[in-house]
Amino acid sequence: MPQSQIFAFAPVPQATLPIEGTDQLFPVHRVYCVGRNYAEHAREMGHDPNREPPFFFQKNPGNLRSDGIFPMPPLSSDVQFEIELAVCLSEGGDDIPVARALECVFGYAVALDMTRRDLQGEAKKLGRPWEVGKAFEGSAPCSAIRRASEIGHPASGLITLDQNGARRQSGDLSQMIWSVPEQIAYLSQLFTLRPGDVILTGTPAGVGRVAPGDRLSGEVEKVGRLDVEVL
Ligand code: MN
């Protein structure tokens, strides 16, 4: 049956991410993000990680972008970078035990959780949702995915962000308050996880403001590198 007989109008194309070393694409279902998953970053944002555990918010699948470009979004004068490990699932389910969680992981990528910090701050103050600060167009630049079958499941390793050649963020994956398996298990209690889900696992300390012309280089040991030009 031709598509015109199914849909009232042409659907927006499926969001995808490239997979390193193959022409195949990873079809993105949902994008979950962890807030305050590194203690030092929680503190720099004015929170006590001992009293306020990490939590989740979402971006839209179409917010992912892997062409190395970040166009400055409108209506913000404080757009900030947050370098993060992205976990890409090829299996899902409900109530996934921590011990089986890594079986759901297809691979890993390097991503930026770009944030309109001024709009997010206003939303926090007013007790409103975070979408305006977090889920805007192009807000999640992402590298190609490295398959877990090739690189394994990195539980430690350096995670860094350089802005115009200067080191701004530096941490280690082992500093996550909730580990990757714990995040998957916890999320699967709240939502039905599906193949194609992507989890941005939180950012270490050192987040900062970007300006047009900036070059951002993120790196996660054993996973890869993400180079982004701010336009
Ligand atoms: Mn983040």
Side-chain angles (χ1 to χ4, degrees), residues 8-200:
F9 47 85
V12 172
Q14 166 71 49
T16 61
L17 286 173
I19 301 165
E20 192 75 44
T22 162
D23 291 335
Q24 291 184 329
L25 296 171
F26 179 91
V28 180
H29 177 244
R30 289 179 186 161
V31 181
Y32 297 98
C33 306
V34 193
R36 296 174 209 150
N37 200 27
Y38 289 78
E40 283 308 311
H41 171 63
R43 288 191 196 100
E44 78 179 344
M45 300 305 290
H47 301 279
D48 178 356
N50 296 315
R51 287 191 301 130
E52 298 174 89
F55 57 92
F56 288 93
F57 59 91
Q58 282 177 262
K59 294 196 187 233
N60 299 299
N63 296 157
L64 288 162
R65 182 162 185 160
S66 48
D67 60 357
I69 287 167
F70 176 74
M72 287 294 278
L75 297 177
S76 175
S77 52
D78 188 8
V79 180
Q80 300 198 357
F81 53 75
E82 298 186 359
I83 190 69
E84 312 210 358
L85 171 73
V87 179
C88 306
L89 306 187
S90 52
E91 286 177 44
D94 298 297
D95 301 318
I96 299 164
V98 171
R100 302 205 57 185
L102 290 180
E103 295 170 20
C104 299
V105 177
F106 175 80
Y108 298 88
V110 184
L112 282 164
D113 167 15
M114 299 302 291
T115 303
R116 289 194 278 218
R117 193 73 73 200
D118 42 3
L119 300 193
Q120 183 202 24
E122 204 174 308
K124 277 185 193 174
K125 212 161 48 192
L126 297 169
R128 290 182 182 161
W130 283 13
E131 280 85 353
V132 293
K134 289 289 195 178
F136 55 90
E137 308 314 324
S139 61
C142 191
S143 73
I145 298 170
R146 297 288 307 281
R147 281 172 289 194
S149 57
E150 286 180 1
I151 63 165
H153 298 279
S156 64
L158 207 58
I159 174 168
T160 57
L161 188 282
D162 292 352
Q163 181 180 29
N164 303 322
R167 180 67 36 102
R168 298 294 184 209
Q169 290 190 267
S170 184
D172 195 284
L173 299 181
S174 62
Q175 295 167 336
M176 285 184 196
I177 296 171
W178 286 352
S179 68
V180 170
E182 287 167 344
Q183 292 172 49
I184 293 170
Y186 182 78
L187 268 174
S188 75
Q189 296 178 338
L190 291 163
F191 306 101
T192 300
L193 293 181
R194 303 290 299 273
D197 285 347
V198 174
I199 306 169
L200 303 191

